[in-house]
Amino acid sequence: MPVDDSGPSRLSDVGEDGLLRLIFPRLPVAAATLLGPGDDTAVVAAPDGRVVATTDVLVEGRDFRRDWSSAPDVGWKAAAQNLADVAAMGAVPTALLVGLVAPPELEVAWALGLADGLAAACAGTGAGVVGGDLSSGPVIVVSVTALGDLQGRAPVLRSGARPGDVVAVAGALGRSGAGWELLELGRGDVAPELVAAHRRPTPPYAAGVAAAVAGATSMLDVSDGLVRDLGRVARASGVTIDLDWNLAADAFARPLWPANTALGRPETDAMRWVLGGGEDHALAATFPPGVEPPVGFVPVGEVLPRVIGRPDVLLDGEPLDTLGWDHFRP
Amino acid sequence: MPVDDSGPSRLSDVGEDGLLRLIFPRLPVAAATLLGPGDDTAVVAAPDGRVVATTDVLVEGRDFRRDWSSAPDVGWKAAAQNLADVAAMGAVPTALLVGLVAPPELEVAWALGLADGLAAACAGTGAGVVGGDLSSGPVIVVSVTALGDLQGRAPVLRSGARPGDVVAVAGALGRSGAGWELLELGRGDVAPELVAAHRRPTPPYAAGVAAAVAGATSMLDVSDGLVRDLGRVARASGVTIDLDWNLAADAFARPLWPANTALGRPETDAMRWVLGGGEDHALAATFPPGVEPPVGFVPVGEVLPRVIGRPDVLLDGEPLDTLGWDHFRP
C-alpha cells in the first residue's frame, strides 16, 4: 500500500507487510549476508566456525524517551549497544536481527527513522540487518540481536584478568551520563555535544579487535558504569581492581569540567559521571605486564590480587564508599 | 536475594540480577553452547561455517493471553515457532537468545515458568538458551532469536518450487486454529486436545532436515495458514499451487470433524481450520517428481506453471473465493 503523502501515515495504514516493504530497502546488507530478509530465516556467514551472539531489549519510557531521542537516535543506540558487546569479545559484527513492537497509531516515519538509525550505526562496522519481526503493543519495544565472527581468535572473556595487568579503557566515559543528566535537568544547552553523546554513543569497535590481537586478558563493554562493570570483571576473574584517580580524571573527567562547572558543582564531581555513568559503551580491558595497550586505550588502573573483605573495585587503594562514592558501589 | 516463600515474589522484589540467577539454572545448555550466559555475548558453534538466524516477538494481548496460556505455554510457543523456522530451512537449531519485557509487579513464578516452557520446547531439538536480556514495561513481551546449523546442506528456500513438484505437509494443520476458536467461543471443553495444540504447537522439526536431505525444492513453516503461506511459496517461486481437497480433507480435516460437528457446523467447515488456521507450525515442502516425500509428509497438492490472472493458490483447480473460501485468499 503506498504511503499517503497528504498526512502522516500510521502503521495501521500500511500494515505489517507494507511496513516491511518500506523498511527493507533502508537496511544495510553486509558481506556476511548470504540470505537476507524474506524467508523463514536469514543465512549469515560464520567463517570462524563459531558465532558470537547477544541480545538487548529497549523499552520506551525506560530505555529511551521519544521526546529526548529521535527515531534514528533510538535505532542507532539499539544497534550500537549490541555491536559494542560483539566488539567486547574481540569479534567483528556480521548481522543484526531486529524486533519492533509499536502502537498501531505510530507514524510510519518513526519506524523508517528507526531503520535509518540502525543503518547509520552499522555503517563501517561490517554488520547488516538480516531479519526481523513486527508486532503491536502499547509502547515501543526494540529488540536487537547481534551476531559476530571471532576470525580465529579466542573470545576475550571477563574472567581472564590477572594480578599485575594494566586496566585500560578505549572510548568515552561519563559523556552519555552527563548528557542524560543535563537532559534531566533541562540544561541540555550547557553541552549539546554531551547530549548528542547520550543520544548516539560511539563505541570504539575497532579497539575490541585490536585488544584481542594485542593479547588482552579480559574485556567488557562499559554499559552500566565503570565501577559497576569492572566489578563484574573482578568477580569473574577473582581479582581486585584498583583505579587511579589521576589517570581517570586526566583522560575522562577533565573534558567534563566545563559542563560540571556550569551546573555550579565542584570540579571533582565530574568524576561521578566517569565512574558511574553508563551507556557510553567504552571498552574496558586488561593487558598483561609488558604488553602495550593498543592505540586508543588509556590506562586507568591495575589489577591486584583479590583483597579479601574489601570491595571488588578500589580507587587509589581505598573503597569508594569511604571516599564518599558509595553510590557507585558495584 | 532469596525468594520469600511466604507470598508471591514479584520481579521488583528480586531485581534483574536476582531474576537472572534464578532463571539461568532452569535453561537448557546444548552441545553447541561454547560460552553461555554471563559475558558480553555467548559463543555458539557454527560448524557449517554459516548460521541460520530468525527472530520473533510475542506480545501479551496480541500474540498470547495470560488467561488462556500458562507461562510455560508461552515459553514453549515462543521457542517452538522460532525452532520451526530453523527447521523450515533444513537446519538444526543450536541456540536461542531470549528477551523478556515484563511489568515489575509480575510474579517471579511467571518468569520462571516461561523459562521452564522454553526449556521444555528445546528438549530433544539440540538447542540451548545461550543469552538474554530483561527490561520492564507495561505488558509482557517475549522476543526470541533462534540460531541453527545447516550441516553442509543448501538452505531450502521458498523460491525453489517447480511445476510438476508435489506439495506435501508434515505436522498438524488446523488444530491450533480450531483450539483458538474453541477458546474464543468458550467451548474448550469440546476438544481439550485442540486447545492444548493451540497452547503448545509441536512442529515436526526432524521432518525439516529429512525434507532437505530428500531434495525438497522449497519449504516453509506454516505459521499464518496453509493457503496464505503457500501463496508466499508460489509468488517466490513464480508458480501456482493447486491444492487437492480430498487429500487435505482426509489427512487434516477429518480429525477435526467431531469438534466442528459439536459446534453445529456442516462437515465441510472443518476445512476452514485446515486451510486458514495458523500457528500449528507444520512444514510445507515441495518435492520433485520421482522423489518420495520423507516419512511424515502427506501430499496435499501439486505445483503448476504460473497461471496468469488467477490466484497463487487454487483448490481443485479453482480459485478459493469462487468456492466460497474468500477469507483464505492469500
Side-chain angles (χ1 to χ4, degrees), chain A residues 42 44 46 49 51 53 57 62 133 145, chain B residues 42 44 46 49 51 53 57 62 133 135 145:
Chain A
V44 179
V51 62
V57 195
R62 179 181 193 264
D133 191 30
T145 299
Chain B
V44 179
V51 61
V57 195
R62 179 183 194 265
D133 190 32
S135 192
T145 299

Side-chain angles (χ1 to χ4, degrees), chain A residues 39-42 44 46 49-54 56-57 62-63 85 89 101 133 135-136 145 157-158 220-221, chain B residues 34 39-42 44 46 49-54 56-57 62-63 85 89 101 133 135-136 145 157-158 220-221:
Chain A
D39 218 297
D40 289 272
T41 76
V44 179
R50 298 166 296 173
V51 62
V52 305
T54 181
D56 274 319
V57 195
R62 179 181 193 264
D63 301 302
D85 281 328
M89 303 301 278
V101 176
D133 191 30
S135 192
S136 62
T145 299
L157 308 184
R158 300 178 177 188
L220 94 174
D221 162 40
Chain B
L34 303 178
D39 217 297
D40 290 272
T41 76
V44 179
R50 299 165 296 174
V51 61
V52 304
T54 181
D56 273 319
V57 195
R62 179 183 194 265
D63 300 301
D85 280 329
M89 303 301 278
V101 176
D133 190 32
S135 192
S136 62
T145 299
L157 309 184
R158 298 178 177 188
L220 94 173
D221 161 40

Side-chain angles (χ1 to χ4, degrees), chain A residues 148-270:
Chain A
D149 190 78
L150 285 161
Q151 300 181 318
R153 291 180 297 273
V156 184
L157 308 184
R158 300 178 177 188
S159 53
R162 295 293 168 257
D165 287 356
V166 167
V167 180
V169 171
L173 286 178
R175 291 173 59 81
S176 175
W180 179 85
E181 193 172 350
L182 292 174
L183 283 169
E184 185 85 348
L185 296 169
R187 295 296 309 276
D189 58 296
V190 162
E193 74 281 8
L194 298 180
V195 172
H198 171 68
R199 290 178 174 142
R200 295 201 177 202
T202 52
Y205 303 119
V209 170
V213 169
T217 51
S218 75
M219 183 155 52
L220 94 174
D221 162 40
V222 182
S223 53
D224 293 334
L226 184 66
V227 171
R228 194 167 173 206
D229 281 319
L230 286 180
R232 293 174 171 141
V233 171
R235 286 190 294 282
S237 299
V239 299
T240 295
I241 286 177
D242 188 19
L243 292 171
D244 182 305
W245 172 283
N246 287 333
L247 291 176
D250 279 356
F252 299 106
R254 192 180 295 270
L256 302 174
W257 282 357
N260 188 62
T261 304
L263 295 178
R265 297 175 179 174
E267 210 164 68
T268 51
D269 262 28

Side-chain angles (χ1 to χ4, degrees), chain A residues 107-133:
Chain A
E107 292 184 14
V108 169
W110 200 95
L112 301 186
L114 182 81
D116 291 344
L118 289 164
C122 285
T125 68
V129 177
V130 297
D133 191 30

